[in-house]
């Protein structure tokens, strides 16, 4: 099986802040290597890594972000961005 292709995703800063102290080392490394960018009315962190890292970010941040309307929106936006990247990269999808 081919190694996973790196993909870009831009979680909003609210998501990145929630993931700063997550136990998953690959997620923390991806965030540390990310670049803060201006996007529309806020800031995002451009993270490059396998889709599995982006999916782990969504999983780790879900419960913390579901506690406020802003967190819900941040989680939804990040999930939608990762879904688009995942659909655009069929090699990263599970064959099952």
């Amino acid at each position: 099986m081919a190694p996973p292709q790196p993909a870009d995703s831009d979680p909003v800063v609210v998501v990145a802040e929630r993931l700063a102290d997550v136990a998953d080392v690959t997620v923390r490394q991806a965030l540390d290597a990310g670049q803060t960018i201006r996007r529309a009315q806020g800031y995002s962190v451009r993270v490059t890594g396998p889709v599995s890292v982006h999916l782990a970010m969504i999983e780790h941040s879900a419960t913390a972000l579901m506690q406020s309307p802003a967190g819900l929106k941040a989680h939804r936006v990040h999930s939608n961005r990762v879904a688009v990247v995942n659909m655009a990269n069929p090699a990263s999808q599970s064959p099952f």
Side-chain angles (χ1 to χ4, degrees), residues 8-53:
D8 288 332
S9 178
D10 300 337
V12 291
V13 171
V14 173
V15 176
E17 288 172 350
R18 298 286 183 184
L19 293 169
D21 59 351
V22 73
D24 191 343
V25 176
T26 56
V27 170
R28 283 197 328 259
Q29 288 175 344
L31 284 170
D32 290 342
Q35 177 183 6
T36 303
I37 58 170
R38 179 89 171 139
R39 185 172 183 142
Q41 296 179 3
Y43 289 90
S44 296
V45 179
R46 170 88 21 101
V47 176
T48 301
V51 175
S52 61
V53 171

Side-chain angles (χ1 to χ4, degrees), residues 37-83:
I37 58 170
R38 179 89 171 139
R39 185 172 183 142
Q41 296 179 3
Y43 289 90
S44 296
V45 179
R46 170 88 21 101
V47 176
T48 301
V51 175
S52 61
V53 171
H54 298 293
L55 294 174
M57 292 169 121
I58 291 171
E59 182 181 321
H60 288 303
S61 65
T63 55
L65 291 174
M66 297 299 179
Q67 298 175 5
S68 70
L72 271 170
K73 182 177 180 184
H75 179 72
R76 184 179 67 243
V77 167
H78 184 221
S79 297
N80 289 343
R81 290 177 185 168
V82 171

